Amino acid sequence: MTGVFTTIGNIVLMLVILGILVAIHEAGHLAAAKIFKVYCFEYSIGFGPAIFKKKRKKGETAFALRAFPLGGYVSMYGEPGVVPEGFEAPDDSRSLERIPKWKKSIVLLAGVTMNFILGLILIYISACCPHYYSAYQASSSISLDANTEIPVYYLTPEFSGPVKSYIDEINNAKGDGETKFEAQDYVLLLNHQETLDGNLYGFGLCSGVRIPGESQKFVATFVPQNLVSGKDLLSSLYFYRESAEPLPEGYANVNLSKAADIAGGTYNAGNLPDGAKITSLSLTLLPIKAEAMEKDWQKAYENRLTYTFDVEFNEGKAKESGVYLPVIQQNLDFKGTWQEWSRLVPYSCGAIVKGIGSLFTGGFKDMSGIIGMTAALPSVEATGGVGYVFLYAGLISINLAFFNLLPFPGLDGWALLVTIIEGISKKKVPEKVKGIVSYVGLALLLGLMVVIAVKDIIQLIV
């Protein structure tokens, strides 16, 4: 029952996010139209039958909330179509088609501009929220051989009985004068995360892992899915099939002999069969007191411990491994917040442009609709709490701005392109042509939405 309420809550949250983004987008169009005296019949959030509709006595624009909140519009005089029922045609000078082309362009661009600005604000708010980490980069690189230096990502774990006993056993076996450490002096050695040619080279714990019922070997990778609350390490383990490609030089020294093939399927605690037992899973422990060794990372590596254990999975959970991940919470100062914002904005915009570009090069596999976005909310909330929800909403807002700029019928980019063509040629594109293209474009957009929705549902089921 709790899961049902959680799902309903996520659906409501996503509808609220989309509703706000649409409202801001259409408010941009409305404000610009009002500035240039264009007559606006209606400002509507959603499509279909009106749930709520209100117009001030001396006002000229009706405000409506409609049944299907997956979009919105501002109905302006001069746009294709007849004057809405209940309205009289205003003076012709109030038409969108009568104002100068540069003013019309501003009206058309106002929606995406508002979405982009809102996205920047939401990303800044996310940077102001507490940040949660499970790993951070060491201040130096560790030399794994004569030719290779790999930055070390490591995290401070909490060890329970099994690992503490293992460390004590190792220390007891050492002779006098040898370097010895307590459990709290160690961190997990996780190598640098890198993806090349569809293979994962990062956060690998070990390769050569056997999973019951599979003939191929797997690579155990650490992929943190929940950083807001501490959890056992094993719940963040994902097992990818080994890649046939050779590892970059040096990686074999950190328990890896093969890379992880991302496209080859994966297992985690949730989809391993009950009773599945994985043997000889190993974790490398590096002395955190490398700082005290005058940053001699090679010496730290020489003092590493490799904890090897078996793990059994039942009901989507793994039996206790003895290693837990603490929560590292950080609240950035004013300068740090702006630095984080300046890092996130270009990264986010680049990722969005790349994602939209993949629509023309790689199909729909990297695109998601409302179903996919809603399904991603739980992991977004778990990974970074409310800060990541603001970041997620900001990304959607900027994505909405970029997508609407595409010169595709039914989008703002298409209307802007037509306006530019008319401004340059000094001739109007025939209304019949615009109408046919708009209807075809709308049909294609709806078809795209259906295809993406089906893809999202299939991904959820599979």
Side-chain angles (χ1 to χ4, degrees):
M1 185 60 72
T2 302
V4 174
F5 285 123
T6 301
T7 301
I8 293 174
N10 286 326
I11 292 173
V12 172
L13 177 58
M14 180 52 67
L15 290 177
V16 169
I17 290 173
L18 292 177
I20 292 173
L21 301 187
V22 170
I24 292 296
H25 180 95
E26 299 304 335
H29 288 310
L30 180 66
K34 293 285 188 181
I35 289 173
F36 297 129
K37 308 299 182 183
V38 175
Y39 194 97
C40 299
F41 297 112
E42 184 177 313
Y43 167 91
S44 177
I45 302 301
F47 298 98
I51 299 174
F52 169 83
K53 191 172 183 179
K54 180 71 175 178
K55 180 182 177 184
R56 291 184 293 115
K57 288 185 178 180
K58 295 184 179 180
E60 63 183 31
T61 304
F63 294 84
L65 179 64
R66 298 186 176 272
F68 305 107
L70 300 180
Y73 61 88
V74 176
S75 176
M76 305 178 198
Y77 181 49
E79 290 184 309
V82 298
V83 176
E85 185 178 350
F87 289 90
E88 295 182 2
D91 185 271
D92 203 42
S93 64
R94 303 288 305 277
S95 171
L96 180 65
E97 294 301 318
R98 290 293 182 181
I99 63 175
K101 298 300 183 190
W102 68 268
K103 290 185 177 181
K104 182 179 178 182
S105 297
I106 291 176
V107 173
L108 296 174
L109 284 171
V112 297
T113 302
M114 290 294 289
N115 275 137
F116 187 76
I117 293 173
L118 176 62
L120 298 182
I121 293 173
L122 290 172
I123 291 176
Y124 180 78
I125 293 174
S126 75
C128 294
C129 294
H131 290 251
Y132 300 93
Y133 300 93
S134 69
Y136 55 96
Q137 189 170 4
S139 56
S140 301
S141 295
I142 180 171
S143 296
L144 298 181
D145 56 41
N147 303 313
T148 307
E149 283 196 352
I150 298 179
V152 177
Y153 279 77
Y154 65 90
L155 52 91
T156 305
E158 297 174 358
F159 299 121
S160 61
V163 179
K164 287 182 180 178
S165 299
Y166 163 73
I167 295 174
D168 290 339
E169 181 182 336
I170 295 295
N171 280 331
N172 291 336
K174 289 183 177 181
D176 292 338
E178 290 190 71
T179 305
K180 296 182 180 181
F181 298 98
E182 301 298 327
Q184 63 268 21
D185 296 330
Y186 282 92
V187 294
L188 295 178
L189 175 58
L190 301 174
N191 51 301
H192 178 58
Q193 185 174 20
E194 184 178 9
T195 305
L196 295 173
D197 302 323
N199 296 321
L200 185 69
Y201 296 120
F203 290 153
L205 296 175
C206 61
S207 54
V209 175
R210 292 286 188 181
I211 291 180
E214 292 282 355
S215 59
Q216 191 173 350
K217 294 180 181 178
F218 286 72
V219 177
T221 63
F222 173 69
V223 185
Q225 297 294 309
N226 185 338
L227 307 185
V228 178
S229 59
K231 62 190 299 185
D232 189 89
L233 169 70
L234 294 181
S235 56
S236 291
L237 289 188
Y238 282 67
F239 302 92
Y240 291 94
R241 289 181 172 83
E242 287 186 341
S243 169
E245 299 295 326
L247 278 170
E249 188 176 6
Y251 276 83
N253 291 326
V254 286
N255 294 334
L256 288 176
S257 60
K258 294 288 185 178
D261 181 6
I262 299 176
T266 181
Y267 280 103
N268 58 31
N271 61 14
L272 280 166
D274 283 352
K277 189 173 183 179
I278 297 176
T279 59
S280 301
L281 191 62
S282 59
L283 307 175
T284 298
L285 309 177
L286 183 75
I288 197 172
K289 285 190 175 179
E291 292 286 344
M293 298 177 183
E294 298 180 352
K295 296 185 179 180
D296 187 344
W297 295 101
Q298 183 61 39
K299 187 174 181 180
Y301 180 74
E302 291 170 358
N303 283 277
R304 73 194 184 281
L305 302 178
T306 302
Y307 174 55
T308 303
F309 59 97
D310 299 337
V311 58
E312 185 175 339
F313 293 86
N314 282 298
E315 297 180 357
K317 295 182 180 179
K319 290 188 176 180
E320 179 181 337
S321 67
V323 184
Y324 295 86
L325 305 179
V327 177
I328 302 173
Q329 179 177 328
Q330 180 184 13
N331 292 284
L332 303 177
D333 57 17
F334 182 78
K335 180 181 178 181
T337 299
W338 280 108
Q339 288 176 338
E340 179 70 0
W341 181 84
S342 63
R343 181 187 71 83
L344 286 172
V345 169
Y347 175 81
S348 302
C349 292
I352 289 169
V353 171
K354 184 179 179 181
I356 293 177
S358 69
L359 177 63
F360 304 98
T361 58
F364 310 122
K365 61 184 179 66
D366 295 324
M367 297 193 70
S368 289
I370 184 172
I371 296 174
M373 290 188 293
T374 304
L377 263 180
S379 61
V380 170
E381 295 163 339
T383 301
V386 66
Y388 269 44
V389 174
F390 279 110
L391 176 60
Y392 192 53
L395 294 177
I396 296 174
S397 187
I398 294 176
N399 186 72
L400 184 62
F402 284 15
F403 187 77
N404 261 289
L405 277 177
L406 294 177
F408 191 84
L411 302 178
D412 292 336
W414 169 256
L416 180 63
L417 178 62
V418 171
T419 301
I420 292 173
I421 291 173
E422 291 180 342
I424 294 175
S425 65
K426 305 299 182 182
K427 295 181 181 179
K428 283 186 64 64
V429 176
E431 292 296 332
K432 185 176 181 180
V433 173
K434 287 195 290 186
I436 293 174
V437 173
S438 295
Y439 281 123
V440 172
L442 182 60
L444 290 174
L445 275 179
L446 291 175
L448 175 63
M449 291 174 62
V450 171
V451 170
I452 292 175
V454 171
K455 177 194 73 82
D456 288 342
I457 293 172
I458 291 174
Q459 286 183 337
L460 286 176
I461 296 173
V462 176

